Amino acid sequence: SQLLVRFFTLSLNFGWNLGLKIEPVSSYLLHQFCCLCVRVMDVDRIELVKAQLQPYLRQGEEYVRRFEEFARQIPPTQIYIAFGVVFFTTFIFYLIRVYKHTISNTIVLSGLSGGGKTVLFYQLRDGSSHQGTVTSMEPNEGLFVLNSESSKKGKIKAVHLVDVPGHSRLRPKLDEYFPRAAGIVFVVDAVEFLPNCRAASEYLYDILTKASVVKRKIPLLILCNKVDKVTAHTKEFIRKQLEKEIDKLRTSRTAVSDADISDEFTLGVPGEPFSFSQCVNKVTVAEASALTGEILPLEQFIRERVKP
């Protein structure tokens, strides 16, 4: 239709260029006549489409009429029950989907530098020790099935493991992972524990008073690494020393104004010596040796938080 109007317009222009004296009024009337012809053609086309769609419209009306007759034969109680079942089933599936998305598979390895966190990371990932000497200045992250479970058949949920370096300048990185962590592993060097007891206690105190840790009640494992060494301290000794140091820290830090510790939570019970059993989140202590691959307590802790 547009081509037809264009054709008549070009014809008029061509005649004018040849010197044909076409009156402006006649030219305008001819143009309007062409537009009217196009409209008639469009109307005819619309009528043709309507005629083609008419059988489908009648068929649709017939289906609606049959459905209404069928619905009238069903008692209202059954209709209400059917709608209720559909709504309830949809709601249950929605809750399951939301619940799956809220379950975290992130485990955070933390602790002072030199404790063996990165070696533990590689032991969990591929069973290698990297000669036991790995220094990292950037967080190691990996999503994988634990090496000890790689030979198992069936679907096993992968673990998102994060190894955060223990250097004081890099510790703020932990704040990025705590809000979505399913568990925290605090690695302690069982051989060099006493010289680092104060620093380890301060680091652990900061973690246990984090709002993101306390509010979500994230379980924490204190893993005493390098117990294969003869000079290593036992987990009972390490636990008691940490509790004593944290109790001292709790006393000194409660003297600080609330404005300075607005993002922290109070540890323990006032007037009683501190113990990890008083924490809101569950705290356990275990032993391991990253160098020899004896990390079963660590694997059990991970699988308790990240179900296979």
Side-chain angles (χ1 to χ4, degrees):
S1 59
Q2 294 178 355
L3 289 175
L4 183 60
V5 173
R6 182 65 175 164
F7 172 77
F8 280 105
T9 304
L10 290 174
S11 300
L12 291 174
N13 293 334
F14 180 73
W16 184 266
N17 292 332
L18 290 177
L20 298 176
K21 300 298 182 179
I22 302 176
E23 294 294 334
V25 176
S26 302
S27 174
Y28 172 77
L29 292 175
L30 183 59
H31 179 76
Q32 291 298 322
F33 174 75
C34 294
C35 293
L36 180 62
C37 292
V38 170
R39 289 195 201 98
V40 172
M41 291 175 62
D42 289 341
V43 171
D44 292 341
R45 186 178 300 171
I46 292 173
E47 293 297 330
L48 178 61
V49 173
K50 284 184 178 180
Q52 292 176 347
L53 292 178
Q54 200 65 31
Y56 297 102
L57 293 175
R58 293 197 192 96
Q59 190 175 9
E61 292 174 354
E62 179 66 21
Y63 286 147
V64 172
R65 186 184 61 78
R66 290 181 183 178
F67 179 78
E68 289 177 349
E69 292 178 357
F70 176 75
R72 291 193 190 98
Q73 298 174 3
I74 302 175
T77 306
Q78 294 185 10
I79 296 177
Y80 296 148
I81 292 174
F83 275 109
V85 170
V86 172
F87 175 79
F88 182 75
T89 305
T90 305
F91 182 69
I92 292 296
F93 277 114
Y94 173 77
L95 288 181
I96 293 174
R97 185 174 181 180
V98 171
Y99 179 70
K100 284 184 176 180
H101 282 292
T102 57
I103 296 177
S104 173
N105 65 337
T106 300
I107 300 294
V108 179
L109 294 176
S110 61
L112 298 177
S113 298
K117 298 184 299 299
T118 305
V119 180
L120 288 168
F121 177 91
Y122 288 117
Q123 280 284 6
L124 291 168
R125 192 187 71 175
D126 50 38
S128 63
S129 63
H130 286 247
Q131 289 84 40
T133 55
V134 180
T135 302
S136 58
M137 291 302 292
E138 290 293 333
N140 289 326
E141 288 190 60
L143 182 65
F144 50 81
V145 175
L146 300 181
N147 179 67
S148 61
E149 300 174 337
S150 57
S151 60
K152 292 183 179 180
K153 296 181 179 180
K155 188 177 181 180
I156 302 176
K157 189 173 183 179
V159 178
H160 177 218
L161 194 63
V162 182
D163 162 31
V164 180
H167 196 281
S168 58
R169 289 183 299 177
L170 300 175
R171 290 177 193 174
K173 285 281 186 181
L174 289 170
D175 295 333
E176 300 178 12
Y177 301 103
F178 282 161
R180 62 178 188 269
I184 302 170
V185 180
F186 187 83
V187 182
V188 176
D189 188 337
V191 177
E192 300 294 333
F193 170 69
L194 284 178
N196 300 309
C197 180
R198 179 70 178 185
S201 300
E202 292 177 346
Y203 193 178
L204 187 57
Y205 181 94
D206 292 338
I207 292 176
L208 291 174
T209 54
K210 285 283 185 185
S212 56
V213 174
V214 178
K215 289 181 178 179
R216 296 184 60 239
K217 299 181 180 180
I218 304 176
L220 186 142
L221 171 66
I222 300 175
L223 189 66
C224 306
N225 191 26
K226 305 181 183 180
V227 294
D228 55 298
K229 305 295 183 181
V230 178
T231 56
H233 297 283
T234 64
K235 66 178 183 179
E236 289 79 11
F237 176 82
I238 292 175
R239 178 182 59 81
K240 290 179 181 179
Q241 294 301 315
L242 288 174
E243 287 178 340
K244 288 180 181 179
E245 287 295 328
I246 290 178
D247 191 52
K248 296 177 184 177
L249 288 169
R250 183 182 62 163
T251 303
S252 62
R253 295 197 182 188
T254 49
V256 182
S257 65
D258 291 340
D260 293 333
I261 57 172
S262 57
D263 193 38
E264 294 185 348
F265 282 75
T266 304
L267 282 180
V269 179
E272 295 183 11
F274 172 77
S275 68
F276 290 118
S277 61
Q278 299 169 350
C279 294
V280 176
N281 47 323
K282 184 179 179 181
V283 179
T284 55
V285 185
E287 296 177 336
S289 173
L291 189 61
T292 61
E294 299 174 8
I295 56 173
L296 181 60
L298 174 59
E299 293 174 332
Q300 291 176 341
F301 174 82
I302 291 174
R303 274 309 171 203
E304 287 175 1
R305 274 74 206 171
V306 184
K307 300 299 182 182

